[in-house]
Amino acid sequence: MLLKQAATQIAPLTGLTLEEVLRLLEVPPQEEMGDAAFPCFTLAKSLRKAPVVIAGEIAVALQTEGMDATAAGPYVNIRFDRNVLAPQLLEEVGSETFGKLHLGQGARVVIDMSSPNIAKPFGIGHLRSTVIGAALYRLYNEAGYTSISVNHLGDWGTQFGKQITAYKRWGNEEMLQADPIRNSLELYVRFHDEAEKDPSLETEAREWFRKLEQGDEEAQRLWTFFVKVSMQEFNRMYERLNVDFDHTLGESFYNDKMGAVVEELQVKELLQESDGALVVRLDEENMPPCLIIKKDGTTIYPTRDLATAIYRHDVMQADKLLYVVGGEQSLHFRQVFTVLSKMEYGWADHCEHIPFGLMRFEGRKMSTRRGKVVFLQEVLDEAVARALQIIQEKNPNLEQAEQVAEAVGVGAIIFGDLRNNRMNNIDFSLEDAVSFEGETGPYVQYTHARIQSVLAKAANVSRDEQEMDLDTDQMNNPPTAIVGDTSWALLKLLSDYPSYLEKAVLRNEPSVIAKYTIDVAQAFNRFYHAERIADAPSGVRAFRVELAKHTAKRLAYNLSLLGVRAPEQM
């Protein structure tokens, strides 16, 4: 609100549009320099004056009610009258519509996320796609899009030929029923170990996958079993992570749709034979060929991804397709999107890969082929246990401590991921994530709980000594003492939320909201320590209590956007 108000006054003086001025406005690095700064360098050419001269002229012309401007070299420093504008800002950030954007104008965006592989454990490595995708789903909705989340399960491919081969050679029904996921992983790892010594295993696996594609009864029976037990495991994890999906459609869903894609590629003369396989050449785009049909006649995941994209556009009526998948798949998606363009689908330009960096767990990289998997359930359990220990030390009489520990422990894992730029590689430290200090989820949750305590204390104060309602005269003419430096800084930060949301969506970067939420928590704690709230003098208290209330609301709402719960007490 404040920057837009300044931009509205500056634009007519410069010949720039409101949007251009907004892009140029800066927040000074030091509070004493003002609330906003406008650099005049870009105006030198159009106005044919030195930036210092332009700054001086704008500063003189910009003296309006509620705003004071001074020239500082080539900059115009702007200071707002906090006592005039604070009540307006407070009312704005407290409105039900505050922060709602219309960037998407209802456009439908399908978000491909999570996508774990059937018959494999839900490891810590699956966390990133799941929580980044879920956060983007909520952020896009907040920005005026219609989000559609799809869990694109890895339930097809040669991996199942390997899984069936391993089961037939070394497994049995009783073993799988006892602990299906762990035992499936052990069989899968053993297959790769044995295949290094016996290459015929790879041939046998390809044959089993061929049988699966042709509807072989035994292959179908085992595949169905692996899917069933895997989904039971996955759904337990999704419930704990507070993640839902609009659609759960595995790769197998598109089996009957791939034939039409292959036929279309043939009709459009895009398919070429290469060593017995069928490919789409991408030489002009400086990419290797996109494999469509393998030598043995079976399909491969690019074929399924082409069918998937067409289905999502035509049937789900997507205007935009996002794929939240690790950065190692960048070439694959470039190939798929390029093939779609060659097929003359103009909407291919609205397909976007949202990559993210690798996650290591305390120095270890995950690999299901070698059995180096950190089970997410074990990590969540350990995080909850550590959170419970800290809670019991800080607040031994807390009711429902176990439920609070679940919210804090799981929230610590989610927030610990999302506060990182998604392209960063993460060496995840459980101890750091669960800490109640620093830039962590528990720190934000604890701040939210602290505000609830402040509000409860204020509500119990005698009406004679501490009036809770700020009357009209006080709102219009608040005493100078109401808006101190820390409360003003907090209020300005709260009012800036829409710009952070817009940045997060345009960059597909949930960390923007996570870091902003940390900033809000830190700003509140500075306010809490510098200015009295619940026991502040009458006429001052109501403003500060209202500010605290809106801060708690913003913290809880932002945490919910990230998939983290905000306990009332900790």
Side-chain angles (χ1 to χ4, degrees):
M1 174 186 173
L2 291 177
L3 292 183
K4 188 172 183 179
Q5 187 168 331
T8 302
Q9 299 294 326
I10 293 172
L13 304 174
T14 62
L16 300 176
T17 65
L18 178 66
E19 290 72 22
E20 289 172 330
V21 174
L22 278 171
R23 283 195 293 270
L24 289 171
L25 277 171
E26 303 172 2
V27 176
Q30 298 173 344
E31 186 77 22
E32 57 269 20
M33 297 174 68
D35 300 306
F38 179 71
C40 298
F41 303 102
T42 58
L43 299 174
K45 185 174 181 180
S46 61
L47 298 182
R48 298 182 179 180
K49 297 179 183 179
V52 173
V53 174
I54 297 171
E57 292 176 348
I58 291 177
V60 171
L62 206 57
Q63 305 300 326
T64 61
E65 184 180 0
M67 185 188 308
D68 179 67
T70 57
Y75 286 86
V76 178
N77 286 343
I78 301 165
R79 188 178 301 278
F80 299 103
D81 187 333
R82 62 181 70 173
N83 292 317
V84 171
L85 297 178
Q88 300 174 26
L89 278 185
L90 192 63
E91 182 178 359
E92 179 177 312
V93 300
S95 70
E96 290 301 319
T97 58
F98 177 71
K100 302 293 184 183
L101 302 181
H102 303 284
L103 289 177
Q105 298 182 330
R108 294 167 67 84
V109 53
V110 171
I111 303 177
D112 181 316
M113 51 180 279
S114 196
S115 309
N117 290 322
I118 294 298
K120 307 286 176 55
F122 201 111
I124 190 73
H126 294 106
L127 183 70
R128 302 217 72 191
S129 175
T130 303
V131 300
I132 292 172
L136 289 176
Y137 174 87
R138 301 182 190 102
L139 292 173
Y140 268 85
N141 274 335
E142 192 78 354
Y145 289 85
T146 299
S147 300
I148 302 162
S149 58
V150 181
N151 191 358
H152 188 67
L153 295 171
D155 68 348
W156 206 250
T158 54
Q159 67 185 41
F160 287 97
K162 297 175 182 180
Q163 198 75 52
I164 294 171
T165 298
Y167 170 78
K168 286 292 188 180
R169 290 211 174 202
W170 310 297
N172 59 70
E173 194 84 15
E174 182 179 354
M175 178 185 74
L176 280 185
Q177 290 288 356
D179 194 343
I181 299 299
R182 287 184 184 272
N183 287 324
S184 294
L185 175 62
E186 289 175 2
L187 290 173
Y188 190 72
V189 171
R190 183 170 180 180
F191 174 90
H192 286 279
D193 288 342
E194 297 288 343
E196 291 181 358
K197 298 175 286 187
D198 182 3
S200 69
L201 284 172
E202 296 283 358
T203 303
E204 186 176 340
R206 285 192 293 271
E207 177 61 18
W208 270 112
F209 179 56
R210 188 186 65 79
K211 289 181 179 180
L212 182 61
E213 287 208 310
Q214 293 177 348
D216 177 84
E217 185 176 342
E218 175 66 0
Q220 287 281 339
R221 182 186 72 82
L222 289 170
W223 175 79
T224 300
F225 171 77
F226 289 134
V227 171
K228 179 182 176 181
V229 297
S230 296
M231 285 309 303
Q232 291 173 348
E233 165 77 4
F234 297 161
N235 287 335
R236 282 196 293 271
M237 293 300 97
Y238 292 135
E239 184 176 358
R240 296 189 76 180
L241 293 172
N242 194 26
V243 172
D244 295 308
F245 300 95
D246 295 314
H247 302 280
T248 297
L249 301 174
E251 294 179 60
S252 62
F253 177 79
Y254 303 95
N255 284 346
D256 62 352
K257 301 167 180 59
M258 288 186 287
V261 173
V262 175
E263 182 179 349
E264 185 178 351
L265 288 169
Q266 290 173 327
V267 169
K268 293 180 175 177
E269 299 182 347
L270 294 172
L271 278 184
Q272 295 185 31
E273 185 176 343
S274 177
D275 296 327
L278 293 178
V279 304
V280 176
R281 293 200 174 278
L282 304 174
D283 300 352
E284 295 178 0
E285 289 76 18
N286 296 316
M287 283 185 280
C290 183
L291 181 60
I292 303 297
I293 301 291
K294 295 189 289 185
K295 292 180 183 179
D296 59 7
T298 59
T299 57
I300 192 168
Y301 55 91
T303 324
R304 289 188 283 279
D305 276 348
L306 289 170
T308 300
I310 294 169
Y311 179 86
R312 289 173 180 171
H313 178 268
D314 293 351
V315 180
M316 293 184 176
Q317 299 182 314
D319 298 299
K320 187 180 184 71
L321 299 179
L322 301 184
Y323 295 81
V324 185
V325 183
E328 66 276 9
Q329 293 296 320
S330 292
L331 174 60
H332 163 73
F333 284 109
R334 285 174 53 214
Q335 289 177 309
V336 169
F337 300 159
T338 302
V339 172
L340 287 170
S341 292
K342 284 180 172 288
M343 296 172 76
E344 299 180 346
Y345 288 122
W347 49 265
D349 292 339
H350 302 294
C351 297
E352 186 174 358
H353 176 210
I354 311 299
F356 52 84
L358 292 172
M359 174 175 280
R360 289 176 169 81
F361 191 74
E362 296 181 344
R364 290 177 289 166
K365 181 181 177 182
M366 278 61 76
S367 170
T368 51
R369 290 190 175 190
R370 297 302 177 194
K372 299 176 181 178
V373 177
V374 179
F375 285 72
L376 181 59
Q377 179 173 325
E378 295 175 355
V379 174
L380 295 180
D381 289 345
E382 177 63 22
V384 170
R386 293 191 185 199
L388 181 59
Q389 181 180 355
I390 297 172
I391 289 169
Q392 289 175 335
E393 292 172 356
K394 289 180 174 287
N395 191 357
N397 298 320
L398 179 65
E399 295 181 0
Q400 299 182 322
E402 289 78 11
Q403 290 91 325
V404 174
E406 175 75 11
V408 173
V410 174
I413 301 301
I414 297 172
F415 197 93
D417 184 326
L418 294 180
R419 73 179 177 87
N420 292 280
N421 183 297
R422 61 177 165 81
M423 286 307 298
N424 289 350
N425 292 330
I426 299 176
D427 189 359
F428 199 89
S429 167
L430 189 57
E431 183 177 356
D432 291 344
V434 182
S435 174
F436 279 49
E437 299 176 358
E439 298 182 352
T440 69
Y443 170 78
V444 176
Q445 290 171 313
Y446 189 71
T447 301
H448 174 265
R450 165 178 276 174
I451 298 174
Q452 299 305 319
S453 177
V454 170
L455 296 177
K457 180 179 178 182
N460 290 328
V461 171
S462 166
R463 288 181 179 271
D464 293 334
E465 296 179 351
Q466 307 217 4
E467 180 59 45
M468 287 298 298
D469 295 321
L470 196 61
D471 62 31
T472 304
D473 182 64
Q474 289 172 327
M475 286 295 290
N476 294 332
N477 301 287
T480 303
I482 281 186
V483 192
D485 290 343
T486 56
S487 55
W488 179 237
L490 173 59
L491 183 54
K492 286 192 297 180
L493 187 59
L494 291 176
S495 72
D496 281 343
Y497 165 70
S499 67
Y500 286 89
L501 173 61
E502 180 175 355
K503 188 185 300 183
V505 171
L506 293 178
R507 296 180 182 178
N508 292 305
E509 187 58 82
S511 69
V512 171
I513 295 298
K515 292 172 182 176
Y516 168 76
T517 305
I518 291 170
D519 289 344
V520 171
Q522 291 173 335
F524 173 81
N525 284 312
R526 287 191 289 269
F527 164 54
Y528 173 81
H529 289 294
E531 302 181 42
R532 294 161 59 190
I533 303 174
D535 61 348
S538 177
V540 176
R541 182 188 330 111
F543 174 85
R544 294 179 184 173
V545 168
E546 197 70 8
L547 177 58
K549 186 186 301 182
H550 294 327
T551 303
K553 179 181 176 182
R554 174 53 52 203
L555 291 177
Y557 197 79
N558 281 16
L559 287 174
S560 72
L561 289 175
L562 301 174
V564 179
R565 296 178 176 88
E568 297 287 308
Q569 293 181 303
M570 285 176 61

